[in-house]
Amino acid sequence: MLFIETDSPPPFYQPKLTATKRKQLDQWFIGQRTQNYYLKRFAEFDQQGYLSPKWHWAAFFITFPWLLYRKRYMDALVYSVAGWSFIQLNIAIVLVAFEFVAMSFIADVYQMPIRFGIAAIIWLFWSFMVARWTDAYYYRMARREIADALEDNPRDEAAQKAHLKREGGVSLFGLGLGFGFFGFAMMVIYVQFLPIVAKPKENEVVFDAYDITKTAQNRVAIIYEQTGRCPTELPVDSDNPQVRISLSTQVEGQPSADCAIIGTIQQVRFPIRHLNNQTFMFYHHTDTDSWRCTSSLNEKQAPPYCTND
């Protein structure tokens, strides 16, 4: 799509056709949907005698579904394999180069947004180039199919019409298939690849929450041992905004507990927002005169030494 001839006259142009006949053939190929738009574009290319960049919003936002919608099945396959591979290769090259050249000079908090920003800029540039040449591409496809229809059926207008309607027009099935593919790709990313990114972040937040809560428990345990009571007035604020520490003399479901230190995870963002409001709790068990740990996290998420009783 990005490597279209700009010679004069345009490729596959049939100079012997009358304007009326050419418009009729174009209408058969385009179909009823957005016919006026493409007829206007085709007339512009015919009049100027060469292909030039225009702008196509659908190709900018949904190139792959648009190709399937316009029955360009083989081109959609080539675009999805070669085009996306080319984008991914460029993103990988730029990211690797940036990692070695500049990433070490950037604060950690900005590194991930910058990586996403680089990928987005490359993707948007590719989408921009595709959108500029989509109308020229579709014009070329129309002129090629019209040339084939005229060559195969020079005097059979019905056969010409049948050929152009078969090769042109639109396919709602193709459009649905395109969006279905995107939905499937998003599901694969969410189920398979997102956890790869999220798991290290989740482990880091969980470890910090446990460590901060455990540190607070050590302080409280010393005071409890000296005074024999839970120091609820003790300031136990955390320096980490993602962990909130609180003290309580009552623990739900634990009637033998008289002192508890609770660490609550908060203010974590995608892709680990599910950790918000999850807790670690160390409580003093009066029957055994010992401290126990429990967590609202499941067994896979919580440390093995701090799980639900």
Side-chain angles (χ1 to χ4, degrees), residues 131-191:
R132 292 180 72 238
W133 287 100
T134 293
D135 285 338
Y137 156 80
Y138 195 57
Y139 171 89
R140 186 186 189 282
M141 294 299 102
R143 291 292 172 264
R144 187 189 68 185
E145 296 298 345
I146 289 172
D148 290 344
L150 294 175
E151 182 178 353
D152 296 341
N153 309 283
R155 296 180 177 83
D156 191 342
E157 189 173 275
Q160 295 171 7
K161 181 178 181 179
H163 174 94
L164 294 176
K165 284 185 172 292
R166 182 177 66 254
E167 299 297 331
V170 297
S171 170
L172 294 179
F173 172 78
L175 182 64
L177 184 64
F179 281 109
F181 177 82
F182 275 128
F184 175 76
M186 293 301 294
M187 183 186 69
V188 170
I189 291 172
Y190 181 80
V191 174

Side-chain angles (χ1 to χ4, degrees), residues 295-304 306-308:
S295 174
S296 62
L297 296 168
N298 60 45
E299 294 183 357
K300 292 183 178 179
Q301 295 172 316
C306 187
T307 57
N308 290 315

Side-chain angles (χ1 to χ4, degrees), residues 209-278:
Y210 173 83
D211 185 62
I212 291 170
T213 309
K214 177 61 176 174
T215 300
Q217 182 266 329
N218 290 335
R219 292 177 58 202
V220 171
I222 294 174
I223 297 175
Y224 184 94
E225 184 177 351
Q226 294 173 346
T227 64
R229 67 180 184 86
C230 188
T232 54
E233 73 284 354
L234 181 70
V236 287
D237 292 339
S238 168
D239 293 334
N240 189 332
Q242 294 183 332
V243 183
R244 184 180 74 253
I245 300 296
S246 60
L247 286 174
S248 176
T249 56
Q250 296 181 343
V251 178
E252 184 178 354
Q254 298 292 341
S256 299
D258 64 347
C259 190
I261 302 90
I262 305 166
T264 304
I265 300 173
Q266 60 182 10
Q267 299 182 24
V268 292
R269 300 178 179 179
F270 180 85
I272 54 173
R273 286 191 300 240
H274 59 278
L275 292 179
N276 282 321
N277 299 318
Q278 299 295 327

Side-chain angles (χ1 to χ4, degrees), residues 4-63:
I4 300 175
E5 305 95 322
T6 57
D7 303 334
S8 182
F12 305 108
Y13 182 76
Q14 303 294 311
K16 296 181 180 180
L17 292 176
T18 64
T20 302
K21 178 62 174 178
R22 180 175 289 109
K23 182 178 180 180
Q24 180 64 79
L25 294 169
D26 286 341
Q27 288 174 328
W28 288 341
F29 178 79
I30 296 168
Q32 294 299 318
R33 294 184 179 272
T34 58
Q35 186 180 100
N36 291 335
Y37 171 85
Y38 288 110
L39 286 176
K40 179 182 177 181
R41 283 287 189 254
F42 288 7
E44 289 175 356
F45 291 135
D46 287 338
Q47 183 177 7
Q48 68 188 24
Y50 59 90
L51 301 181
S52 60
K54 305 294 183 181
W55 184 258
H56 198 285
W57 282 110
F60 179 76
F61 287 109
I62 50 171
T63 307

